[in-house]
Amino acid sequence: MSVLAIDAGTTGVTALVVTEDGRIESRGYEEFAQHFPRPGWVEHNPEDIWQATLSACAAALAGASTTPACVGITNQRETAVLWDRRSLAAPRRAVVWQDRRTAGICERLRSAGHEPRVAELTGLRLDPYFTGSKLTWLAENDPAAWEGVTSGRVVVGTVDAYLIARLTAGARHVTDPSNASRTLLYGLESGAWEPELCELFGVPESALPEVVPNFGELGRTDPGAFLGLELPISGVAGDQQAALFGQTCYAVGEVKCTYGTGSFILTNTGGEIVRSESGLLTTVAWQAPSGERTYALEGSVFVTGAAIQWLRDGLGLIGTAPESEAIARTVPDSGGVVFVPALTGLGAPHWDPEARGLITGITRGTTRAHLVRATLEAIAFEVRDVVEASAEGRPPVLKADGGASGNDLLMQFQADQLGTPVERPVIQETTALGAAFLAGLGAGVWGSREELRKTWQLDRRFEPGGRDDALYDRWRRAVELAMASTEG
């Protein structure tokens, strides 16, 4: 048996066919357009996401030996989507998680004293990152689209709910707790939409999807809508929670870090809602059909891999991202250079949207290799900042995935900085793998999480060596300068 996993990311959709022994049998990928109507605004056309999904799935299925037993979905989180309940057409483009247009709405709510109550209920902060303020903005600034919401013709949701609606030809309007817990509208303790929050953000609860468990049969694909196939949709989770599941971090205290455009560090806290006093977010990891919820602490670092892209595209210092390792290895250290890549402000644990990027320690002897090495070091320092802010303390091991996890120099430096081993799996596409695992668990392809653990294969383990904490102290001072750079 096999599972079809759909990973609807921020720039494209990946589809994988995953076999019972955890191998990737075939794959498909399709990009879709990004829209930037104004500085700080990011939008997607929902129809583009759907067409990319069909294209990627068709390619993956063409390379599969048999028809998969079920479908799993993972997705970019927080993005706000509107669509017609019957026709499924979107009345406007989606407002993407990266979009910062709602900073004024968040500040207005903060000034009115709402943040402590919002944080108590949701485990989140008032930040444009999350869905709730995006929906408030649409209600206030796009009355034509929002009229459909208030009249009941148009529904709202995140990308997972939109894709399930399209896959089922509108038969199901559902989401899961991992995605719901990123909206500012869902209560961590109640496990449901909070009427108080829906009122605060001006979102009709009747327009929101039903919250269902992360695995088990959530709906069935409609053959007329989805490539002639009628398959159970039996697993769904937001991308970072899916990666935690794909890394088989099922025990309390297990930690994964996904090194992508940004880096996302999630720690499994089990059935306990752990609240951070150090800038980490509390979120639902997944919910079983029994109703039992597993929670996580999350540290969201906005710019890590994007800093390497900036070296390539903004400065022209490297030709390709993988070159960064070879160039950095030509020098023994960064020569005293420190780079704070606060290119879009700072995320966890600092949460300073006004912070700006900073490079310090430049001398006449500084070369491009020093700056490239300082960039890799910065990624490791940012992850260390989050791990040290965690109430759970230093993990016994950090499981790494995502594109930059293929950089051996970075992984070794990360292990050194954390003082803990870093493990990289053979399959680094753990987000899609997590969606496949959830779906297969929900459809009986796998009988238990213990079976799933056996499919996880180690590519390389990086043992910590010695570390010079003076480097980290220098980093901390540079971060303070980056945060102070816009004061006054």
Side-chain angles (χ1 to χ4, degrees), residues 40-41 99-111 126-129 133-134 137 353-354:
W41 291 26
D99 191 288
R100 307 298 291 177
R101 77 184 69 179
T102 64
I105 291 170
C106 293
E107 186 52 45
R108 185 177 80 204
L109 293 169
R110 192 177 295 111
S111 298
L126 283 172
D127 190 273
Y129 182 29
S133 66
K134 301 179 194 296
W137 187 94
E354 302 302 323

Coordinates of all heavy atoms in Angstrom, one line a residue, residues 40-41 99-111 126-129 133-134 137 353-354:
G40 N 5.3 44.9 1.5 CA 4.8 44.2 2.7 C 3.6 43.4 2.5 O 3.1 42.7 3.4
W41 N 3.0 43.5 1.3 CA 1.8 42.7 1.0 C 2.2 41.5 0.2 O 3.0 41.6 -0.7 CB 0.8 43.5 0.2 CG 0.1 44.6 0.9 CD1 0.6 45.3 2.0 CD2 -1.1 45.2 0.6 NE1 -0.3 46.3 2.4 CE2 -1.4 46.3 1.6 CE3 -2.1 45.0 -0.3 CZ2 -2.5 47.1 1.6 CZ3 -3.3 45.7 -0.3 CH2 -3.5 46.8 0.6
D99 N 2.4 38.3 4.9 CA 1.9 39.6 4.7 C 1.9 40.4 6.0 O 1.4 39.9 7.0 CB 0.5 39.5 4.1 CG -0.1 40.8 3.6 OD1 -0.4 41.6 4.4 OD2 -0.3 40.9 2.4
R100 N 2.3 41.7 5.9 CA 2.4 42.5 7.1 C 1.5 43.7 7.2 O 1.6 44.5 8.0 CB 3.9 43.0 7.3 CG 5.0 42.0 7.2 CD 4.9 41.0 8.3 NE 5.2 41.5 9.6 CZ 5.2 40.8 10.7 NH1 4.8 39.5 10.7 NH2 5.5 41.3 11.9
R101 N 0.5 43.7 6.3 CA -0.4 44.8 6.2 C -1.3 45.1 7.4 O -1.8 46.2 7.6 CB -1.4 44.7 5.0 CG -2.5 43.7 5.2 CD -3.4 43.5 3.9 NE -2.7 42.8 2.9 CZ -3.2 42.5 1.7 NH1 -4.4 42.9 1.4 NH2 -2.4 41.8 0.8
T102 N -1.4 44.1 8.3 CA -2.3 44.2 9.4 C -1.6 44.7 10.7 O -2.1 44.6 11.8 CB -3.0 42.9 9.7 OG1 -2.1 41.9 10.1 CG2 -3.8 42.4 8.5
A103 N -0.3 45.2 10.6 CA 0.4 45.7 11.7 C -0.4 46.7 12.5 O -0.4 46.7 13.8 CB 1.8 46.2 11.3
G104 N -1.1 47.6 11.8 CA -1.9 48.6 12.5 C -3.0 48.1 13.2 O -3.4 48.6 14.3
I105 N -3.7 47.0 12.7 CA -4.8 46.4 13.4 C -4.3 45.7 14.7 O -4.9 45.8 15.7 CB -5.5 45.4 12.5 CG1 -6.2 46.1 11.3 CG2 -6.4 44.5 13.3 CD1 -6.7 45.2 10.3
C106 N -3.2 45.0 14.6 CA -2.6 44.4 15.8 C -2.2 45.4 16.8 O -2.5 45.2 18.0 CB -1.4 43.6 15.4 SG -1.7 42.2 14.3
E107 N -1.7 46.5 16.4 CA -1.3 47.6 17.3 C -2.5 48.2 18.0 O -2.5 48.5 19.2 CB -0.5 48.7 16.6 CG 0.1 49.7 17.6 CD 0.9 49.2 18.7 OE1 1.7 48.3 18.5 OE2 0.6 49.6 19.9
R108 N -3.6 48.4 17.2 CA -4.9 48.9 17.7 C -5.4 48.0 18.8 O -5.8 48.5 19.9 CB -5.8 49.0 16.6 CG -7.2 49.7 16.9 CD -8.0 49.8 15.7 NE -8.7 48.6 15.3 CZ -9.1 48.2 14.1 NH1 -8.8 49.1 13.1 NH2 -9.7 47.1 13.9
L109 N -5.4 46.7 18.6 CA -5.9 45.7 19.6 C -5.0 45.7 20.8 O -5.5 45.5 21.9 CB -6.0 44.4 18.9 CG -7.1 44.2 17.8 CD1 -6.9 42.9 17.1 CD2 -8.5 44.3 18.4
R110 N -3.7 45.8 20.6 CA -2.7 45.8 21.7 C -3.0 47.0 22.5 O -3.0 46.9 23.8 CB -1.3 45.7 21.1 CG -0.2 45.4 22.2 CD 1.1 45.3 21.5 NE 1.2 44.2 20.6 CZ 1.3 44.3 19.3 NH1 1.4 45.5 18.7 NH2 1.4 43.2 18.5
S111 N -3.1 48.2 21.9 CA -3.3 49.4 22.7 C -4.6 49.4 23.5 O -4.7 50.0 24.5 CB -3.3 50.6 21.7 OG -2.1 50.7 21.0
L126 N -0.4 39.0 19.3 CA -1.0 39.8 18.3 C 0.1 40.2 17.3 O 0.9 41.1 17.6 CB -1.6 41.1 18.9 CG -2.9 40.9 19.7 CD1 -3.4 42.1 20.4 CD2 -4.0 40.4 18.7
D127 N 0.1 39.5 16.2 CA 1.1 39.7 15.1 C 0.4 39.5 13.8 O -0.4 38.6 13.7 CB 2.3 38.8 15.3 CG 3.5 39.1 14.5 OD1 3.5 38.7 13.3 OD2 4.3 39.9 14.9
P128 N 0.8 40.3 12.8 CA 0.3 40.1 11.4 C 0.4 38.7 10.8 O -0.3 38.3 9.9 CB 1.0 41.1 10.6 CG 1.5 42.2 11.5 CD 1.8 41.5 12.8
Y129 N 1.4 37.9 11.4 CA 1.7 36.6 11.0 C 0.4 35.7 11.0 O 0.2 34.8 10.1 CB 2.7 36.1 12.0 CG 3.3 34.7 11.8 CD1 3.4 34.0 10.6 CD2 3.8 34.1 13.0 CE1 4.0 32.8 10.6 CE2 4.4 32.8 12.9 CZ 4.5 32.2 11.7 OH 5.1 31.0 11.6
S133 N -6.1 38.7 12.3 CA -6.1 40.1 11.9 C -6.2 40.2 10.4 O -6.6 41.3 9.9 CB -4.8 40.7 12.4 OG -3.6 40.2 11.7
K134 N -5.8 39.2 9.6 CA -6.0 39.3 8.1 C -7.5 39.3 7.8 O -7.9 40.0 6.9 CB -5.3 38.1 7.5 CG -3.8 38.0 7.7 CD -3.2 36.7 7.1 CE -1.8 36.4 7.6 NZ -0.8 37.4 7.3
W137 N -8.9 42.7 8.5 CA -8.5 43.6 7.5 C -9.4 43.5 6.3 O -9.9 44.4 5.7 CB -7.1 43.4 7.0 CG -6.6 44.4 6.1 CD1 -5.9 45.6 6.4 CD2 -6.7 44.4 4.6 NE1 -5.6 46.3 5.2 CE2 -6.2 45.6 4.1 CE3 -7.3 43.6 3.7 CZ2 -6.1 45.9 2.8 CZ3 -7.3 43.9 2.4 CH2 -6.8 45.1 1.9
P353 N 9.5 43.6 15.3 CA 9.3 43.8 13.8 C 10.1 45.0 13.3 O 10.3 45.1 12.1 CB 7.8 44.0 13.7 CG 7.4 44.5 15.0 CD 8.3 43.8 16.0
E354 N 10.6 45.9 14.1 CA 11.3 47.1 13.7 C 12.8 46.8 13.6 O 13.5 47.7 13.1 CB 11.0 48.2 14.6 CG 9.5 48.6 14.8 CD 8.9 48.9 13.4 OE1 9.6 49.5 12.6 OE2 7.7 48.6 13.2

